[in-house]
Amino acid sequence: MIEKIPITDYTPQDNDLLIDLRDKAVAAFGSLPGAVNIPMEEIGQLYALPQEKRIVLFCQQGDYSAEIAELLSDNGYQVADLTGGYRKWLVGHFG
């Protein structure tokens, strides 16, 4: 099951592994605090993530993270998708 959390409501939990799926060049301009950048083109790395962690995903607008959340959930991962994407988070914090 995929937990859907509005990105502006996300509060990190101790068991979370926060993953930024955006391109490295884009993520270099800023990301959520504590996020690890694993771009879409390096998707294979996601399957090496520990299954005992909750994998929390976000991208620029929320579309790609929803797709990747489905893939990981289908492979036994506990997944949360931050809906709205990084753009929505920026507006919520600096709007």
Side-chain angles (χ1 to χ4, degrees):
M1 183 173 145
I2 299 168
E3 187 178 358
K4 300 283 188 180
I5 303 169
I7 198 164
T8 53
D9 295 343
Y10 174 65
T11 302
Q13 305 296 312
D14 289 339
N15 197 41
D16 286 356
L17 187 50
L18 183 60
I19 305 295
D20 182 347
L21 296 169
R22 297 173 305 142
D23 181 84
K24 286 188 184 300
V26 174
F29 286 99
S31 189
L32 296 183
V36 174
N37 181 234
I38 301 177
M40 293 285 296
E41 56 270 3
E42 297 174 16
I43 192 171
Q45 291 183 27
L46 294 173
Y47 294 107
L49 296 174
Q51 288 197 337
E52 63 274 4
K53 296 275 191 181
R54 178 174 77 158
I55 309 301
V56 181
L57 304 169
F58 70 95
C59 61
Q60 189 69 15
Q61 295 180 308
D63 299 327
Y64 292 125
S65 62
E67 291 177 29
I68 300 304
E70 289 280 340
L71 290 173
L72 289 175
S73 179
D74 290 348
N75 283 281
Y77 286 88
Q78 179 186 358
V79 183
D81 177 29
L82 299 183
T83 61
Y86 186 70
R87 185 176 294 171
K88 180 87 169 185
W89 182 83
L90 280 176
V91 169
H93 282 80
F94 304 107

